[in-house]
Amino acid sequence: MSVKMIELPYGPYDLEPHIDGKTMIVHYNQFYKKYVDGLNQMLEKYSQFADMTTEELAVSRLNIPKTDADKIRHYAGGVLNHELYFLGMTPKTTGPHGQLGEAIIRQYGSWGQLKQLMREAAASVFGSGCMYLVTEGNGVLRLNLTPNQEMPPLGTVSPVLAADLWEHAYFEKHKSNRAAYVEDWFAVIDWDRAERLFRQGQ
């Protein structure tokens, strides 16, 4: 298996003024690429894992030296976290709707109340990580915070939304102001894709 970089479904400047193009270019071409390249290098060394999916590599316990197993999980998690984040944004955002919209209202009362919980969750992450809204199936949602490039427990939950909380996701426009960045991320969520992921996770 050779891991390929995904193509963005929008131009790097299309998410402005919320997510600035200069950050997107660096984020995609340098940081995301680093994880793709790193994973490919590890798979050249351990060709026995070439048929595993990136999802499997990110969560599996591999019977190889721990240092290398940790590297594979780290690189695979970095690939997935970036892809879920990039693909989860759009310049033509709408708002929660369909079964996901109903689940948000049923469980949190409103999108506004869930946003507040997400603001608080994002602020609670010290250092680097990601914030996920995941479904446990049967219409149940929950927030999941992962440090560094770890993934939610795939197989137990399915990601619906993903926010990259590493500073390299917002350093140009927002500097170190993560709270302002999260507000801008709310404005570019691809709710159509989130609805599809929610339905698939049931």
Side-chain angles (χ1 to χ4, degrees), residues 8 53 74 96 104 125 129 143 162 164 172 192 195:
L8 296 179
T53 66
H74 174 72
I104 289 172
V125 175
L143 289 176
D164 190 334
E172 282 289 344
D192 291 339
E195 169 68 10

Side-chain angles (χ1 to χ4, degrees), residues 166-177:
W166 287 63
E167 199 165 289
H168 65 238
Y170 56 90
F171 70 100
E172 282 289 344
K173 176 184 176 182
H174 299 92
K175 307 307 178 187
S176 60
N177 191 344

Side-chain angles (χ1 to χ4, degrees), residues 35 55 57-59 66 70 72-82 84 128-132 144-154 159 162-164 166:
Y35 290 101
E55 290 84 355
L57 292 169
V59 298
K66 183 178 184 302
D70 288 346
I72 289 176
R73 281 195 299 272
H74 174 72
Y75 287 133
V79 170
L80 289 174
N81 280 324
H82 280 99
L84 287 162
S128 302
C130 295
M131 175 174 63
Y132 277 94
N144 190 287
L145 299 174
T146 59
N148 302 314
Q149 294 297 354
E150 292 184 21
M151 294 294 299
L154 303 178
D164 190 334
W166 287 63

Side-chain angles (χ1 to χ4, degrees), residues 104-157:
I104 289 172
I105 292 173
R106 181 172 60 249
Q107 194 164 337
Y108 298 100
S110 69
W111 166 226
Q113 292 187 54
L114 175 55
K115 278 202 293 188
Q116 182 55 34
L117 291 175
M118 295 179 91
R119 291 183 187 106
E120 295 169 2
S124 74
V125 175
F126 294 99
S128 302
C130 295
M131 175 174 63
Y132 277 94
L133 181 68
V134 301
T135 177
E136 299 175 341
N138 299 319
V140 178
L141 296 165
R142 68 178 171 89
L143 289 176
N144 190 287
L145 299 174
T146 59
N148 302 314
Q149 294 297 354
E150 292 184 21
M151 294 294 299
L154 303 178
T156 302
V157 301

Side-chain angles (χ1 to χ4, degrees), residues 13 33 36 43-44 54 65 73 85 100 112 114 131 133 155 163 176 179 188 202:
Y13 290 92
K33 185 177 186 296
V36 172
L43 291 176
E44 287 179 7
T54 310
R73 281 195 299 272
Y85 169 69
L100 175 57
L114 175 55
M131 175 174 63
L133 181 68
S176 60
V188 293
Q202 301 314 297

